[in-house]
Amino acid sequence: AMNRVQLLGRVGQDPIMRQVDGKNPVTIFSLATNEMWRTGESESTQGALLFLCTIGDISQKTTWHRISVFRPGLRDVTYQYVRKGSRIFVEGKLDYGEYTDKNNVRRQATTIIA
């Protein structure tokens, strides 16, 4: 089995370090990745040549990822040197979890463990 994620994007906010209930600290930040494509692409044929005609606008989708860093050396370096707007590469694994928010509502969260 394999659980591996690779992301290249921009940091959404300065990392924060948290420690909960005497557990090891964790550094957390968000990462934005962008996907771009042209809308309305069509193909046309003229003689024996095939041309790709681009019609339409460029569309973009931004996806936000929650990144958690637990490993002590990497956690501390991330907290010290990564800043909002930095372009970074993150490699890790997907983790699915649940938590209860401040309004006592149960929520699901997907996190990348770097």
Side-chain angles (χ1 to χ4, degrees):
M2 183 185 304
N3 180 354
R4 184 175 173 182
V5 177
Q6 295 179 325
L7 300 170
L8 178 62
R10 296 223 178 248
V11 176
Q13 91 259 356
D14 288 344
I16 58 172
M17 193 176 292
R18 289 190 181 155
Q19 187 167 3
V20 179
D21 301 331
K23 295 182 181 177
N24 290 334
V26 59
T27 297
I28 300 168
F29 63 96
S30 62
L31 186 75
T33 56
N34 293 316
E35 181 180 355
M36 296 172 66
W37 68 92
R38 288 194 181 274
T39 58
E41 290 184 341
S42 65
E43 294 180 2
S44 63
T45 306
Q46 183 178 8
L49 299 174
L50 180 66
F51 296 96
L52 181 62
C53 299
T54 306
I55 303 169
D57 298 321
I58 295 177
S59 295
Q60 177 176 309
K61 177 184 176 188
T62 301
T63 303
W64 289 94
H65 310 274
R66 178 184 168 101
I67 313 295
S68 295
V69 187
F70 289 96
R71 189 172 294 162
L74 186 58
R75 173 190 65 218
D76 298 335
V77 167
T78 301
Y79 182 71
Q80 275 187 319
Y81 296 107
V82 173
R83 291 292 168 250
K84 178 180 179 177
S86 299
R87 187 168 188 225
I88 64 169
F89 175 80
V90 172
E91 185 172 44
K93 66 178 183 174
L94 278 174
D95 182 58
Y96 301 99
E98 290 184 351
Y99 67 96
T100 304
D101 69 10
K102 61 184 175 186
N103 298 322
N104 211 25
V105 176
R106 211 163 132 190
R107 300 203 179 264
Q108 295 181 344
T110 302
T111 303
I112 309 300
I113 309 296

